[in-house]
Amino acid sequence: MPTTPDRLDLPAVVEASGLLDPTGDLDRVLSNLLLVAMSRLLVTRGVVLLASDDGGSPEVAVVKGPMRLGRGEAVPVALKEMDGEAVPDALRAHGIALALPLRDASGVVGLVGLGPKATGAPFGTAETTYVRSLVNLSAVAVRQARVAAQLDAQGRALAARVQELNTLFDLARAFSAAHDRDRAVRLLALALLGQMTPSRHLVLLRDHDAAPPLVADALGFPKPLSPDALDLLAGLDTPLLRNGQPGNPNAALLEQHGLDLAVPVRLRESTCGLIALGPRATGRPYTREDLAFLTSLGTLALSAIENANLVAARIEKERLEEEMRLARTIQERLLPEHTPHLAGLDVAAMARSSRHVAGDYYDLAALDADRLLVAVADVAGKGMPAALLMANLQACLHLLRQRLDDTAGLAPTTAQLNRVVCANTDPFTFITFFWGVLDRRTGRFTYVNAGHNPPLLARAGGPVEMLMEGGVLLGVLPEAVYAQGEVTMDAGDRLLLYTDGVTEARSPDDEEYAEGRLERVLLAHADASAEALIAAVAADVAAFTADAPLADDFTLVAVRRER
């Protein structure tokens, strides 16, 4: 009966098992397995294959001796079909003479292959039994080592995710302190360089009201990207990996500009920007995890940029509102501070603007103890431009009204005022204007209407007249000539001047207030004072419009001759 060599007996197996420490790393377990088997069986080459995670061909885990196989190389072997010591053709071609499957409770997880013995003798029963015992012992160690490796990899991945979350948390605090866009973009660029180490990067911001997209930051590009390329990049709506989506036509766009990935950044279901990176300085490829991190980073940055824009817009809005309040204060000072008091005349006025500043203007002034100047104007447009033109009109009027004596009447002075307006405004700017002078002693009222809504003269117990004599609007024809009208106001007569913000006010049914309603209010308050008449008109317009906000500036001037 043949005896088993000492190097292959049970004590030798027990001794070898001590080298297959299941708590060690997988490479060490497999290397020890091969070294023990090769030394005991006197072979010069060996290989261990392990099943791949994706279910494909097994891959070389460890190789010893002169073989044309490299670590990680896939070998076309059907592990599930392994039976006995039959050597697969793919291993026989590399000089493997003995192959034993690595099995655990889940099935065949690998294969151990050994080359021929150095003596040239065939493997004996004791030798194959010994190797099989080692392989069986190793299967448990391999299984545990693989599990340990997977747990370690998962632990490292978890630690990396925790680190990313901590990084994002720190960056979120930093971004929250970035109160302007440039600072937020600089912080994003530093974060990209520190976390991703790209050789080049591009940050685009998309403003849907402007084209092309804004290049917020670009580093590492030999020349600026064309507007077409920027539009294409900014138009991406899904993350793109250059080498991860070979069928994607946009991958060529990345390759053309030396970029490895592009991540669109979305806020509130809208793509607002894009971050694109070139290859890492370390050469390590980008992963799906990098895409997720970059998306989160981009969202933080764009949120900070948007917040900075909102803060800037709010500051600018507050600045403009303060300027408008100041302009309104200045404009109010241009209007008469006090209503002039002339014996026998009752005078009142009201002005409301549809905005902070108005384009309407009125003036009341005592030219002397007997004559009252009344004026009303409406500058085309609204807001600050109209208000500035109104201020110029007021200044010019105050200079020219000193000529309203026996040597210069209203008509020639209006023509001069028109020439000044034409010379200092563009062709599309004009002013409707009415002014007149009332002599309290005689009731004589001379006036010029330059394209303004005709004032209403309500006779005591009689009809309503419209004062229309005059000419064209101011600012239209430099050489325009104006006619002067004249009426006489008797005791109890009332004069009402107004702007189109009164008669063009609209009801909720979009009906216009119109001159007819204004006349009815004027007639219905025949005995009212000037102030009460204005209050009645304002109340009637408010009721007609259901107290809707003013669509246009609203101005009223009332004069009543009492004796």
Side-chain angles (χ1 to χ4, degrees):
M1 181 175 181
T3 60
T4 300
D6 291 344
R7 58 188 175 84
L8 302 176
D9 57 13
L10 182 58
V13 174
V14 174
E15 179 185 352
S17 68
L19 299 174
L20 306 178
D21 180 10
T23 62
D25 63 74
L26 185 59
D27 286 345
R28 178 176 298 179
V29 170
L30 296 179
S31 292
N32 287 342
L33 170 61
L34 274 189
L35 290 175
V36 170
M38 290 169 64
S39 63
R40 297 290 183 172
L41 272 62
L42 305 177
V43 301
T44 59
R45 69 184 65 179
V47 66
V48 177
L49 305 182
L50 291 180
S52 62
D53 294 332
D54 59 8
S57 298
E59 298 173 354
V60 175
V62 178
V63 63
K64 301 291 184 183
M67 295 185 66
R68 296 190 304 277
L69 288 174
R71 182 184 178 91
E73 182 177 344
V75 181
V77 172
L79 292 180
K80 295 181 180 179
E81 299 175 7
M82 288 293 299
D83 186 20
E85 290 83 37
V87 180
D89 292 339
L91 289 180
R92 191 180 301 279
H94 290 281
I96 296 301
L98 178 63
L100 295 171
L102 270 168
R103 298 177 184 272
D104 64 12
S106 64
V108 180
V109 296
L111 179 146
V112 177
L114 298 173
K117 295 171 63 174
T119 62
F123 291 106
T125 301
E127 292 170 322
T128 56
T129 299
Y130 175 79
V131 174
R132 187 177 295 108
S133 299
L134 287 181
V135 170
N136 291 338
L137 288 172
S138 301
V140 176
V142 168
R143 178 68 177 176
Q144 294 189 15
R146 294 193 80 177
V147 169
Q150 291 173 355
L151 290 175
D152 184 59
Q154 291 173 358
R156 289 197 301 272
L158 180 60
R161 297 292 83 76
V162 170
Q163 177 61 32
E164 286 181 358
L165 289 175
N166 288 334
T167 300
L168 289 173
F169 179 73
D170 291 339
L171 288 171
R173 290 190 297 181
F175 277 122
S176 65
H179 298 308
D180 62 82
R181 188 185 69 186
D182 292 342
R183 183 176 178 184
V185 170
R186 285 196 300 272
L187 183 59
L188 173 60
L190 291 174
L192 291 175
L193 292 173
Q195 297 296 320
M196 313 298 284
T197 65
S199 57
R200 62 180 60 180
H201 71 258
L202 175 69
V203 178
L204 299 180
L205 299 180
R206 167 66 83 182
D207 183 351
H208 293 290
D209 295 331
L214 170 67
V215 179
D217 195 62
L219 180 67
F221 292 90
K223 59 181 180 179
L225 275 68
S226 68
D228 289 343
L230 294 176
D231 274 335
L232 288 172
L233 285 169
L236 294 177
D237 56 4
T238 56
L240 180 63
L241 269 173
R242 173 179 166 186
N243 297 322
Q245 297 156 285
N248 193 318
N250 290 318
L253 178 64
L254 296 186
E255 182 176 2
Q256 179 183 356
H257 297 288
L259 297 169
D260 274 16
L261 86 167
V263 177
V265 184
R266 299 174 64 82
L267 291 177
R268 293 184 298 278
E269 305 303 321
S270 177
T271 300
C272 301
L274 176 125
I275 301 174
L277 304 182
R280 291 183 190 270
T282 61
R284 184 168 63 87
Y286 295 105
T287 64
R288 293 290 174 181
E289 289 74 17
D290 292 326
L291 282 178
F293 178 79
L294 198 58
T295 299
S296 299
L297 179 61
T299 302
L300 281 177
L302 259 69
S303 296
I305 290 171
E306 184 177 69
N307 290 337
N309 289 339
L310 290 175
V311 170
R314 185 182 66 197
I315 293 173
E316 179 65 13
K317 180 174 180 290
E318 291 175 352
R319 184 186 67 82
L320 289 175
E321 287 179 346
E322 180 60 28
E323 290 183 357
M324 294 296 276
R325 281 192 292 270
L326 178 61
R328 179 60 179 165
T329 301
I330 294 173
Q331 187 179 55
E332 288 174 347
R333 291 175 181 172
L334 297 178
L335 298 176
E337 185 175 358
H338 302 290
T339 301
H341 296 285
L342 279 78
L345 299 181
D346 179 18
V347 183
M350 170 190 286
R352 295 176 181 172
S353 62
S354 59
R355 299 189 179 186
H356 282 296
V357 290
D360 281 6
Y361 167 69
Y362 79 89
D363 207 347
L364 295 167
L367 297 179
D368 52 39
D370 298 317
R371 294 186 302 160
L372 172 70
L373 172 70
V374 294
V376 65
D378 186 358
V379 178
K382 301 180 183 68
M384 186 63 76
L388 291 174
L389 184 53
M390 184 272 278
N392 289 330
L393 173 67
Q394 188 258 10
C396 186
L397 182 63
H398 278 215
L399 289 174
L400 293 178
R401 75 185 187 190
Q402 298 175 14
R403 302 183 56 198
L404 300 180
D405 51 28
D406 294 336
T407 61
L410 284 169
T413 307
T414 304
Q416 184 176 358
L417 182 61
N418 175 62
R419 288 192 293 272
V420 172
V421 173
C422 288
N424 292 279
T425 59
D426 61 64
F428 305 102
T429 301
F430 54 86
I431 303 170
T432 68
F433 178 67
F434 178 95
W435 66 340
V437 176
L438 175 61
D439 190 318
R440 70 172 186 85
R441 298 167 301 174
T442 63
R444 178 172 175 258
F445 182 63
T446 56
Y447 70 89
V448 172
N449 189 337
H452 193 75
N453 303 80
L456 303 178
L457 175 59
R459 299 295 185 179
V464 176
E465 300 176 17
M466 290 187 174
L467 307 186
M468 304 179 66
E469 194 71 29
V472 299
L473 301 79
L474 302 182
V476 176
L477 298 173
E479 302 304 323
V481 176
Y482 294 86
Q484 180 172 292
E486 181 177 322
V487 293
T488 299
M489 291 183 64
D490 297 322
D493 289 353
R494 288 145 295 134
L495 176 65
L496 183 65
L497 290 72
Y498 59 93
T499 58
D500 58 11
V502 177
T503 54
E504 293 179 4
R506 292 189 174 275
S507 71
D509 297 327
D510 202 35
E511 181 185 0
E512 194 173 81
Y513 186 77
E515 286 81 358
R517 287 184 175 82
L518 188 60
E519 287 186 23
R520 287 194 290 272
V521 175
L522 185 57
L523 292 173
H525 294 78
D527 297 326
S529 66
E531 185 174 352
L533 175 60
I534 285 179
V537 172
D540 194 59
V541 173
F544 179 78
T545 61
D547 289 319
L550 295 177
D552 198 359
D553 302 329
F554 184 104
T555 300
L556 291 167
V557 177
V559 179
R560 178 186 178 90
R561 189 179 183 205
E562 297 180 330
R563 65 174 186 272

